[in-house]
């Protein structure tokens, strides 16, 4: 019996990185999982691989920054699996701008994905969780919820807002047996970072050295390590945890 046996979860941004690691971990722990991503090719590949290994998984190509698409994704997952117990909001993009450089359009682009999609998916998931007798929402925030990265004004703003959204969801819906928490990753090496490093002409070693200088554990984290913390918050092991931010940052924010 896995820690999520009998549970149904939906995960956004599930085709790569932290989202993919979470989908795989949830399936390994007995959950049936629906996940969405804008990368249809990668999403279908991940779903096919998991299904071939015996996992019960469903992929939807969707931009959850669009309210109608987000609500449809969640509704289709409940209809397909018969219930909904867990929502993991993970979809995200990053833009490199200061407030002076940022346009109204770029603000909308980032906030639609990195913040509004979290609210849209929660809007769809909470009624389904009520029908299931309760549930757990885990939002993927960041150390940028409480710090700033530099030249990422929109990303930093969205991640700070996710902390507030998490607390608001927790206080509004705890009487219904619905918990809401967030993980706040620090430097986590994912395919996104691999692409950024390559585009900048840097080596993986240089990234690791930079992370070593910014964390107590002297290294970057992995997507699997974040997924383990998401699993904890989603599972009944965290039955008395709500409204919390769990920092998965190698001690970065405590330095």
């Amino acid at each position: 019996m896995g820690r999520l046996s009998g549970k149904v979860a939906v995960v956004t941004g599930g085709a790569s990185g932290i989202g993919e690691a979470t989908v795989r971990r949830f399936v390994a722990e007995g959950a049936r999982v629906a996940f969405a991503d804008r990368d249809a090719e990668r999403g279908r590949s991940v779903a096919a691989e998991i299904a071939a290994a015996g996992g019960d998984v469903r992929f939807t190509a969707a931009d959850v920054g669009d309210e109608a698409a987000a609500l449809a994704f969640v509704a289709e997952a409940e209809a397909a699996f018969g219930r909904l117990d867990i929502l993991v909001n993970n979809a995200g993009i990053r833009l490199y701008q200061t407030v002076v450089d940022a346009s109204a359009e770029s603000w909308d682009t980032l906030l639609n994905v990195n913040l509004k999609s979290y609210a849209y998916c929660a809007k769809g998931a909470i009624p389904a969780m009520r029908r299931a007798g309760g549930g757990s929402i885990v939002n993927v925030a960041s150390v940028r919820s409480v710090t700033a990265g530099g030249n990422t004004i929109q990303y930093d703003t969205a991640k700070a807002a996710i902390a507030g959204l998490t607390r608001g969801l927790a206080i509004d819906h705890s009487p219904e047996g619905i918990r809401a928490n967030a993980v706040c990753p620090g430097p986590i090496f994912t395919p996104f970072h691999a692409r950024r490093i390559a585009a900048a002409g840097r080596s993986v070693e240089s990234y690791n050295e930079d992370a070593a200088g910014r964390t107590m554990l002297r290294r970057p984290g992995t997507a699997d390590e974040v997924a383990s913390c998401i699993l904890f918050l989603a599972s009944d092991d965290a039955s008395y945890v709500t409204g919390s931010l769990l920092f998965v940052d190698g001690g970065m924010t405590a330095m």
Side-chain angles (χ1 to χ4, degrees), residues 77 86 127 149 154 223 254:
I86 299 163
Q154 296 136 319

Side-chain angles (χ1 to χ4, degrees), residues 28-46:
E29 292 287 344
R32 292 173 291 165
V33 181
F35 70 100
D37 203 286
R38 296 194 299 189
D39 187 340
E41 182 178 357
R42 175 64 185 167
R44 285 192 290 266
S45 175
V46 169

Side-chain angles (χ1 to χ4, degrees), residues 107-241:
W107 274 104
D108 288 343
T109 295
L110 187 133
L111 292 178
N112 282 346
V113 177
N114 289 34
L115 177 60
K116 291 183 180 180
S117 76
Y118 286 39
Y120 297 153
C121 288
K123 179 179 180 179
I126 287 168
M129 290 178 179
R130 288 172 180 154
R131 290 187 284 272
S136 175
I137 298 170
V138 183
N139 295 324
V140 178
S142 170
V143 293
R144 300 308 174 206
S145 296
V146 296
T147 66
N151 202 42
T152 53
I153 187 68
Q154 296 136 319
Y155 182 86
D156 294 350
T157 299
K159 292 301 185 181
I162 289 168
L165 175 67
T166 300
R167 289 187 289 265
L169 289 170
I171 198 166
D172 286 344
H173 300 288
S174 59
E176 301 168 288
I178 298 170
R179 298 181 296 106
N181 295 285
V183 292
C184 298
I188 308 297
F189 190 79
T190 68
F192 167 82
H193 296 96
R195 292 191 297 270
R196 285 283 301 170
I197 290 166
R202 294 177 58 196
S203 67
V204 174
E205 289 74 18
S206 70
Y207 177 86
N208 291 343
E209 289 172 3
D210 177 64
R214 293 186 292 133
T215 66
M216 292 182 184
L217 296 182
R218 311 298 292 173
R219 64 172 177 84
T222 68
D224 286 338
E225 288 175 311
V226 181
S228 292
C229 293
I230 293 172
L231 170 63
F232 164 69
L233 291 174
S235 76
D236 291 340
D237 288 345
S239 58
Y240 198 57
V241 182

Side-chain angles (χ1 to χ4, degrees), residues 9-29:
V10 294
V11 180
T12 66
S16 66
I18 292 170
E20 179 186 351
T22 300
V23 171
R24 292 182 182 276
R25 187 65 183 275
F26 278 17
V27 170
E29 292 287 344

Side-chain angles (χ1 to χ4, degrees), residues 82-97:
R83 61 183 294 128
L84 179 58
D85 306 280
I86 299 163
L87 165 64
V88 178
N89 280 314
N90 170 70
I93 59 174
R94 194 174 304 199
L95 300 177
Y96 294 88
Q97 296 179 333

